[in-house]
Amino acid sequence: MKPTLLVLAAGMGSRYGALKQMDGVGPNNEAILDYSIFDAKRAGFGKIVFVIRKDFAEAFEKANNSERYGIPVEYVYQGLECLPEGFSVPEGRVKPWGTGHAVLMAKDNINEPFAVINADDFYGKEAFEVMARYLEKCEGKTGAYSMVAYKLKNTLSDFGSVSRGVCTKGRCDYLKTIVERTSIVRKGDKAEYTDETGAHELDVESLVSMNFFGFTPDFFDYCEKGFVEFLSGAAMTNIKAEFYIPLMVNKAINEGYAKLKVLSSDASWFGVTYKEDKPDVMAKLRSLIAKGIYPEKLF
């Protein structure tokens, strides 16, 4: 069975100032996610599942569908009200629940090994190839997780702060820890992040997660249990708390439930966190097209 690609496309795009999931950056107005679908399809993925919001579902589904891509496409919807039985949205909560919650929306649509990506991140042809090959070996397994990591220095924006999952590897390239760091900024040839205790320097050579994970389908049940714990704990005291994928990855590793392989790849990441990032992304795509890595028109 071919692996599935789960695309997280329900983000608000508040820092970008627009619905960047659908913003054209290619020569024929292709969005970044179009390049991801193109890469996934040629790497051997068999189905695409989009996590979107209902308020832009009509426009999104019209532009991103099976007919256009030539691969089965399904849609699931993320909203604040999508909660386990017995829970309700806390008063004053407006912030989405986070990437871990977004993954849970696809529980009934995926029964095979799958990869997770952000719709607005460019991961590169090689990243999809190495992930597809790994997932194909995970059929029938449990707790066999994976991720494609990138160097922090190649994922920073010149126009504002970013959030990244900072990773450390152990023996045989298995992940030891992944820690979500927010408010990371470039400081010359260095970087620093800010938390509740102040500013801290961060090695620009650090490996970071860009939310390109691979999971066996047991992750849905594991994540669902974790979300209930989250709703009973952090979410009760902080209406801005988010349920991140790395939170569950760390928990699974620490409990010995799963191992996560850090996959090596020569792929380059880039993305549009801010509007000012867009010209650079467009230039990089033009360069890749000129090298023959992508056709002038994807679909």
Side-chain angles (χ1 to χ4, degrees):
M1 184 178 292
K2 292 183 176 182
T4 287
L5 181 66
L6 179 59
V7 183
L8 307 187
M12 303 292 286
S14 54
R15 289 180 294 182
Y16 189 66
L19 195 63
K20 59 181 175 177
Q21 299 95 319
M22 298 174 64
D23 196 17
V25 291
N28 293 283
N29 211 39
E30 297 94 344
I32 284 181
L33 70 84
D34 291 326
Y35 287 89
S36 293
I37 304 306
F38 184 86
D39 284 334
K41 184 178 174 182
R42 63 178 170 176
F45 284 82
K47 183 176 73 174
I48 311 298
V49 178
F50 287 111
V51 183
I52 58 177
R53 298 197 316 273
K54 286 188 176 179
D55 61 333
F56 62 75
E58 184 177 355
F60 189 93
E61 292 173 22
K62 183 178 180 181
N64 306 280
N65 52 62
S66 301
E67 184 177 358
R68 180 179 177 223
Y69 292 136
I71 187 173
V73 171
E74 297 175 8
Y75 313 94
V76 295
Y77 308 101
Q78 182 184 19
L80 280 177
E81 74 286 354
C82 300
L83 296 172
E85 188 175 349
F87 291 93
S88 58
V89 180
E91 184 178 354
R93 175 90 193 194
V94 295
K95 193 174 183 64
W97 292 111
T99 54
H101 178 249
V103 169
L104 281 174
M105 299 302 97
K107 181 180 179 182
D108 295 334
N109 296 70
I110 299 175
N111 299 297
E112 58 282 328
F114 66 100
V116 179
I117 64 167
N118 293 332
D120 51 6
D121 288 338
F122 180 93
Y123 295 99
K125 173 178 178 283
E126 301 88 351
F128 285 92
E129 290 172 344
V130 71
M131 179 61 80
R133 299 293 83 77
Y134 189 82
L135 291 176
E136 286 167 359
K137 300 174 185 176
C138 294
E139 182 70 34
K141 295 182 179 180
T142 60
Y145 303 165
S146 54
M147 66 172 285
V148 179
Y150 299 81
K151 288 187 177 181
L152 173 63
K153 65 182 180 182
N154 296 328
T155 73
L156 297 172
S157 171
D158 291 325
F159 304 104
S161 65
V162 298
S163 298
R164 301 287 182 255
V166 181
C167 307
T168 55
K169 290 194 300 182
R171 295 179 58 188
C172 302
D173 288 334
Y174 281 105
L175 186 72
K176 287 179 66 177
T177 61
I178 178 169
V179 180
E180 191 75 18
R181 297 297 187 196
T182 58
S183 302
I184 303 174
V185 294
R186 193 193 303 274
K187 293 289 185 178
D189 59 353
K190 298 181 179 180
E192 69 177 30
Y193 70 92
T194 302
D195 62 14
E196 62 276 4
T197 64
H200 311 272
E201 188 172 326
L202 196 55
D203 186 355
V204 294
E205 297 293 328
S206 299
L207 289 177
V208 297
S209 159
M210 299 306 299
N211 262 7
F212 194 165
F213 288 101
F215 295 111
T216 41
D218 58 281
F219 183 69
F220 288 116
D221 287 335
Y222 188 84
C223 198
E224 194 167 50
K225 293 175 184 176
F227 189 49
V228 169
E229 293 176 8
F230 168 82
L231 291 172
S232 304
M236 296 292 291
T237 57
N238 179 4
I239 61 172
K240 293 185 177 181
E242 290 192 61
F243 184 64
Y244 292 115
I245 294 171
L247 178 72
M248 285 296 93
V249 167
N250 252 346
K251 192 170 186 292
I253 292 171
N254 291 336
E255 292 178 351
Y257 174 79
K259 285 186 175 183
L260 187 146
K261 189 80 166 181
V262 180
L263 303 175
S264 58
S265 166
D266 293 329
S268 296
W269 175 95
F270 51 85
V272 282
T273 305
Y274 299 91
K275 272 283 189 184
E276 294 84 352
D277 293 319
K278 185 175 177 178
D280 182 55
V281 168
M282 295 176 74
K284 288 176 177 175
L285 287 172
R286 285 195 298 271
S287 176
L288 292 171
I289 292 167
K291 293 175 182 177
I293 297 173
Y294 297 97
E296 183 80 12
K297 186 173 177 60
L298 288 180
F299 303 104

